[in-house]
Amino acid sequence: MNEACSAGTGSFIEEQGKKFSGITDVGHLGREALAAECGVSLGQHCSVFMAEIIDEAVAAGAERRSIIAGIYDSIIQNYLNRVKGSRSVGKVIFCQGMPFSSDALAAAVARQTGSEVIIPPNPGTTGALGIALLAIRDQGTAGEPLEIARFLGARVERKDEFICMSTRGCGGAGNRCRIDTLSTVVDGTQSRFTWGGACSLYDKGTRTRKLPDLAPDPFRERAELVQAAAAAPVPAAGPRVALTDEFLLKGLYPFFARFLRELGLVPVTASAGDRAVLKRGIARAHVPFCAPVQMFHGIASGMTDGAPEMVLMPMLRTLEPAAG
């Protein structure tokens, strides 16, 4: 859930628990949910809107325990309907991750699916244990025993990131990847680690090739095909229409761009934004939406920079499936 929706993470549950006076920690919040006789339906919403719905339920005088139980049910409903989608759910569900250290979330899974739910003894460490087992398998040995004093004495001095401007590792493509950096001090020795990006240029310690130079790039090829499909004779002069080839128009951009050109209009396209556009969207939105919505605000606000005569932001409700 961490990369799919913030409304399913442990931090979201903890944040919502702070809205209720007397709740000491996440464990206490879970016990309150289990003690509820029923749950309040809070719907399936983004974390920002979920917080508003909870506030409305509190203001309406709903019983506190029922609201708390509704938080856990809403998280699972959101996952089942918005993340899992039409994929099936088995009769036995194994749940891992620190949020499942509370039986309240497991109970919500059981209620919403009707399946048997299995929680490991320490769900928060399951992923770390799996990584350790994979490392042992790949290395063929468990390695040297950990020196506890050395481990506890180590510290992280700085964590940062930068944009790679090199064209060496990506075969001249210049992908402008985000690279993470970490500076540590262990036994008085300072070390700097870097990782990230599509190639292995900054993968210090591994240097394994993620992609060979000049490897096929399906994303770039798709963008070129989209531009080619959208191409049409550009009118010599005509009203300019700003639109974006992202979000709702990701797959329909060729249709709208060519349609506008055939009408004698000049499409002005705002493409995918960078971190500066995201920062602009955060400032313009005034509300802490999730990152995709903030990015959309940034792109949308940039569409008016060139003072076009019109801005096209269609709202698509239904689309018939393509034949064949």
Side-chain angles (χ1 to χ4, degrees), residues 213-227:
D213 289 348
L214 302 179
D217 187 337
F219 297 101
R220 186 176 290 109
E221 291 177 7
R222 180 190 183 281
E224 293 172 353
L225 289 173
V226 167
Q227 292 297 328

Side-chain angles (χ1 to χ4, degrees), residues 45-135:
H45 303 279
C46 170
S47 57
V48 175
F49 299 110
M50 176 63 69
E52 294 179 357
I53 297 298
I54 293 172
D55 291 339
E56 292 177 3
V58 173
E63 205 272 329
R64 188 178 77 163
R65 286 179 172 174
S66 297
I67 297 174
I68 295 174
I71 294 175
Y72 289 93
D73 275 327
S74 178
I75 289 171
I76 303 305
Q77 289 174 358
N78 192 48
Y79 173 78
L80 292 174
N81 296 321
R82 297 179 181 271
V83 180
K84 179 193 73 66
S86 60
R87 293 184 290 271
S88 61
V89 173
K91 295 181 179 179
V92 179
I93 301 176
F94 180 85
C95 300
Q96 67 173 11
M98 199 62 185
F100 283 104
S101 59
S102 168
D103 290 339
L105 190 58
V109 175
R111 284 196 299 270
Q112 298 299 325
T113 64
S115 301
E116 179 184 354
V117 177
I118 298 176
I119 308 295
N122 194 341
T125 61
T126 309
L129 176 60
I131 292 174
L133 293 174
L134 290 173

Side-chain angles (χ1 to χ4, degrees), residues 294-319:
Q294 292 171 334
M295 179 66 79
F296 181 78
H297 274 79
I299 292 177
S301 64
M303 291 166 64
T304 60
D305 286 346
E309 282 74 17
M310 290 173 279
V311 174
L312 176 63
M313 299 179 67
M315 177 66 72
L316 307 177
R317 300 197 57 164
T318 57
L319 289 173

